[in-house]
Amino acid sequence: MGRPAPGTLTVMCGIVGYVGAKPALSVVIDGLRRLEYRGYDSAGVAVLADDKLATAKRAGKLANLEAALAERSWPESSVGLGHTRWATHGPPNDPNAHPHVDCTGSVAVVHNGIIENFAALRTWLEGRGHELTSETDTEVVAHLLEEELHEAGGLAEAMRRICARLEGAFTLVAVHSEDPETVVGARRNSPLVVGRGDGENFLASDVAAFIAHTRQAVELGQDQVVELYRDRIAVTDFHGSPAPAREYHVDWDASAAEKGGYEYFMLKEIAEQPRAVAETLLGRVGEDGTLTLDEMRLSDDELRDIDKIVIVACGTAYHAGLIAKYAIEHWCRIPCEVELASEFRYRDPILDRSTLVIAISQSGETLDTLMAVNYAREQRSRVLAICNVNGSTIPRASDAVLYTHAGPEVGVAATKTFLTQLVACNLVGLYLAQVRGTKYGDEVIAVIHQLAAMPEKVEQVLGTVAPVRALAGSLADAKCVLFLGRHVGYPVALEGALKLKELAYMHAEAFAAGELKHGPIALIEDGLPVVVVVPPKRGRGPLHEKIVSNIQEIRARGARTIVIAEEGDDSVVGYADTLIAVPQAPTLLQPLVSTVPLQVFACELALAKGHDVDRPRNLAKSVTVE
Ligand code: AGP
């Protein structure tokens, strides 16, 4: 079999490391279960016991590994690590699963990210007689550690030395049977966080892995190595100098990352949306009655100097950015561009000190978005992150951050974090309008009050989605669904189509309704389901009547129309095969209610087709590769 291109095998994965008094194997497996959303192509563990290394790994979901573990007895151990993998190319088979071991079988390593120079390192290692048994970039790390351990006098120093030789983005966690008391980790542009417990310590890609044991976390910086012992942790840079590490308290508990009686995380996360929206709004109005954003580390003068805003993001977060553009330009009168983060830096964008770049990312780890942030800062633009994960990489690489308070989102499909991104974008737009004086104080507060009414409206939508479930069930065999919208309803349509693609694996496409006659209307045929997001009647000029005409045009050509419109909008009743009514909301805030039926629709349709909505095929929650 041909060798894959460098770095194409091991990308976004979940990592757990443990040292302590509890049985390491069960702590690690439990942690992997909570990280499985990061990748589920294969899983593996390694534990140290009696100065020996024991490993197991299996292709497929964690359940396969657990079945393999049950086939033999395992030594009692208090030091271990584990991995769940998401692969892009190459078979997700047993040999390519992590951990990888060196030739002596004494070092085990797991990895998230890409070792870009792995081909050259592999050739060098093979020249020195190492036998590599997988196709991964990761395996070179195990053998490099083997090389360095001869001279380095310990796993941590060996790790520091090899990191200096690695190119790319990586989190590495390793154990060595001759260092039986420790787990060593390293990171560059890839997530790794320490959980500080009482007589035990944890390493993980995400706090969810250890939140059941401790809520004290330690943030690691870029290019740092951490040594984990039962009673202490030591953090250094790649040269061995002690490095600062910020400790923080995780403000949600283990139950937030559990299903809480729901069959799927996604169902729970959809239901949590009213609370997530409310929490993101909490504490934003100061005693003087003005909007205050405490975490906004940009001065009012800096914000007044801005003459352009560029929003960068991927996937659902990009759709939040597209919606934000309407509000920001309307409220602040600043030109606002929205760009896919993966395209941004390659087109030579015009940026300078007076450009504000807003990076939206739920995870704070999406590599495309991170690279866009780094690029913008190199161009001396100011960067504001909108993020859901405290202490993650993107906020730390930015000048300022506004956290959404959605709580952990485990389902791969973004739901509650999308709504909270919309709220956060609105807050940023209103804050800019307040500082720059493009809106009076009472106008800003009036919108805040409208936002404060949204959790109840979202709750109302959730209470009336039963017909959406029935509709989804009836469309399980549809080949394709189209989505139409205008104004902010257009990005809502894009989001509806994305949800359907990723969960139901169906062809779904969204169009700005005004574009229909420029081509897409040729797609309409008898029975084709078309979802139309109708703006409020009271909204922007003739928008509403134009989309009602669009509905008539597609219906006349045989489309099965599924219309999302606000309660009391009788003008669409005659043209809707299915009418989904949402509570009345101001035009710019309507996406907070109109998106919810689309999430439910995609989720229920996927369930009707028998799919795992928490772990859709080929996807992972954090995309830490470009
Ligand atoms: C949405 O359902 C997706 N899972 C995906 O598009 C996601 O929004 C995108 O990968 C961006 O992730 P981020 O918000 O963590 O940066």
Side-chain angles (χ1 to χ4, degrees):
M1 192 190 312
R3 196 178 287 171
T8 54
L9 274 171
T10 305
V11 284
M12 317 169 273
C13 309
I15 288 178
V16 183
Y18 176 71
V19 184
K22 294 174 183 145
L25 191 59
S26 66
V27 172
V28 167
I29 291 289
D30 188 49
L32 291 181
R33 200 169 293 121
R34 292 168 191 276
L35 294 186
E36 215 187 354
Y37 70 88
R38 299 181 68 90
Y40 29 86
D41 288 337
S42 63
V45 289
V47 293
L48 293 180
D50 308 325
D51 298 338
K52 284 198 186 66
L53 180 69
T55 66
K57 51 190 193 174
R58 282 293 181 278
K61 291 184 178 168
L62 188 60
N64 294 2
L65 174 69
E66 289 180 282
L69 292 176
E71 279 169 14
R72 63 174 166 113
S73 63
W74 281 75
E76 272 186 27
S77 166
S78 53
V79 177
L81 53 74
H83 188 267
T84 60
R85 173 171 178 252
W86 184 90
T88 52
H89 294 65
N93 54 19
D94 290 355
N96 288 337
H98 298 208
H100 292 283
V101 295
D102 67 329
C103 297
T104 67
S106 65
V107 175
V109 65
V110 292
H111 166 222
N112 173 27
I114 297 171
I115 311 290
E116 283 170 357
N117 57 336
F118 98 95
L121 291 168
R122 185 175 179 125
T123 306
W124 181 80
L125 285 163
E126 284 171 344
R128 291 178 62 83
H130 291 265
E131 274 186 37
L132 283 82
T133 56
S134 79
E135 297 169 277
T136 65
D137 51 345
T138 307
E139 195 184 353
V140 299
V141 175
H143 295 269
L144 287 173
L145 285 170
E146 179 189 351
E147 284 277 334
E148 289 295 345
L149 276 164
H150 291 307
E151 301 205 348
L155 183 60
E157 178 54 21
M159 183 68 92
R160 282 189 279 270
R161 292 185 186 192
I162 68 143
C163 283
R165 293 181 67 181
L166 302 178
E167 290 167 17
F170 49 83
T171 296
L172 297 165
V173 172
V175 288
H176 178 212
S177 57
E178 289 173 32
D179 282 297
E181 308 287 315
T182 182
V183 175
V184 170
R187 74 168 290 226
R188 167 181 289 166
N189 280 337
S190 182
L192 184 64
V193 59
V194 177
R196 195 195 280 282
D198 187 9
E200 59 181 355
N201 287 307
F202 305 79
L203 273 176
S205 309
D206 178 335
V207 295
F210 55 71
I211 195 72
H213 304 277
T214 177
R215 288 165 73 178
Q216 275 312 108
V218 180
E219 212 176 270
L220 295 176
Q222 294 300 355
D223 289 7
Q224 291 186 350
V225 167
V226 57
E227 282 168 80
L228 206 69
Y229 299 89
R230 269 186 191 210
D231 50 1
R232 71 185 172 93
I233 61 164
V235 183
T236 67
D237 62 21
F238 285 174
H239 306 291
S241 305
R246 184 180 78 94
E247 189 143 349
Y248 64 99
H249 187 72
V250 181
D251 58 8
W252 46 270
D253 63 18
S255 65
E258 278 160 12
K259 288 185 191 156
Y262 288 86
E263 197 183 345
Y264 290 96
F265 280 107
M266 185 176 178
L267 293 170
K268 176 183 173 230
E269 287 157 5
I270 288 174
E272 283 172 345
Q273 293 187 108
R275 201 182 68 201
V277 169
E279 301 252 322
T280 304
L281 282 168
L282 212 66
R284 304 297 191 184
V285 179
E287 280 175 10
D288 61 354
T290 61
L291 175 59
T292 41
L293 299 180
D294 289 340
E295 319 102 296
M296 172 76 84
R297 295 185 301 258
L298 293 171
S299 70
D300 288 358
D301 278 345
E302 285 175 302
L303 295 177
R304 281 188 203 102
D305 284 346
I306 289 161
D307 60 16
K308 183 170 81 169
I309 293 175
V310 182
I311 299 178
V312 290
C314 301
T316 291
Y318 170 70
H319 297 155
L322 289 175
I323 293 169
K325 173 185 165 77
Y326 291 86
I328 289 175
E329 289 191 336
H330 180 60
W331 291 335
C332 312
R333 311 312 297 159
I334 311 175
C336 177
E337 297 166 12
V338 190
E339 179 122 12
L340 289 167
S342 53
E343 291 291 323
F344 179 64
R345 67 193 171 121
Y346 300 108
R347 72 162 170 92
D348 197 12
I350 301 166
L351 303 170
D352 58 30
R353 277 195 76 74
S354 49
T355 311
L356 175 68
V357 173
I358 301 178
I360 309 176
S361 173
Q362 183 284 129
S363 60
E365 302 294 347
T366 300
L367 199 59
D368 284 316
T369 311
L370 176 63
M371 290 301 144
V373 166
N374 291 345
Y375 181 83
R377 293 204 67 199
E378 277 160 29
Q379 308 299 310
R380 307 182 68 219
S381 296
R382 294 176 175 92
V383 180
L384 166 69
I386 291 178
C387 183
N388 194 45
V389 180
N390 196 323
S392 55
T393 309
I394 289 170
R396 290 165 60 197
S398 305
D399 297 293
V401 58
L402 188 68
Y403 282 111
T404 53
H405 294 283
E409 187 175 71
V410 178
V412 163
T415 52
K416 61 177 178 170
T417 55
F418 177 65
L419 261 57
T420 59
Q421 285 164 354
L422 296 179
V423 171
C425 289
N426 282 325
L427 291 174
V428 171
L430 290 170
Y431 191 72
L432 283 167
Q434 176 177 281
V435 169
R436 297 163 64 94
T438 51
K439 275 212 167 288
Y440 293 125
D442 58 344
E443 292 174 317
V444 170
I445 293 303
V447 183
I448 296 286
H449 285 148
Q450 290 169 345
L451 278 166
M454 295 313 289
E456 206 182 316
K457 291 179 193 280
V458 176
E459 193 76 70
Q460 221 177 306
V461 181
L462 292 170
T464 53
V465 284
V468 179
R469 292 200 184 99
L471 171 74
S474 74
L475 289 175
D477 294 327
K479 293 275 168 296
C480 166
V481 180
L482 299 187
F483 293 76
L484 299 178
R486 277 178 184 263
H487 194 261
V488 290
Y490 170 45
V492 170
L494 288 169
E495 176 60 8
L498 176 62
K499 285 285 150 302
L500 205 57
K501 281 180 241 194
E502 72 175 330
L503 294 165
Y505 319 150
M506 278 170 79
H507 178 238
E509 231 181 310
F511 302 103
E515 276 295 290
L516 260 190
K517 296 194 201 64
H518 302 285
I521 199 161
L523 292 169
I524 308 292
E525 58 185 20
D526 234 13
L528 180 81
V530 184
V531 180
V532 189
V533 183
V534 178
K537 255 183 166 173
R538 311 168 305 284
R540 308 279 310 155
L543 261 189
H544 177 271
E545 57 204 63
K546 288 213 184 312
I547 208 156
V548 175
S549 305
N550 296 140
I551 300 172
Q552 293 173 50
E553 287 155 12
I554 55 169
R555 199 150 188 268
R557 288 162 178 82
R560 173 175 175 180
T561 56
I562 300 155
V563 178
I564 299 179
E566 68 176 26
E567 285 164 353
D569 184 352
D570 298 334
S571 55
V572 290
V573 174
Y575 315 114
D577 291 310
T578 307
L579 180 61
I580 300 166
V582 292
Q584 292 192 353
T587 304
L588 288 171
L589 306 190
Q590 198 203 34
L592 286 163
V593 286
S594 53
T595 307
V596 178
L598 299 183
Q599 298 168 339
V600 174
F601 178 64
C603 181
E604 295 293 335
L605 213 152
L607 291 173
K609 293 176 90 149
H611 297 168
D612 177 345
V613 291
D614 286 343
R615 293 173 296 184
R617 71 180 180 203
N618 305 336
L619 292 173
K621 185 76 178 160
S622 302
V623 184
T624 52
V625 61
E626 280 185 274

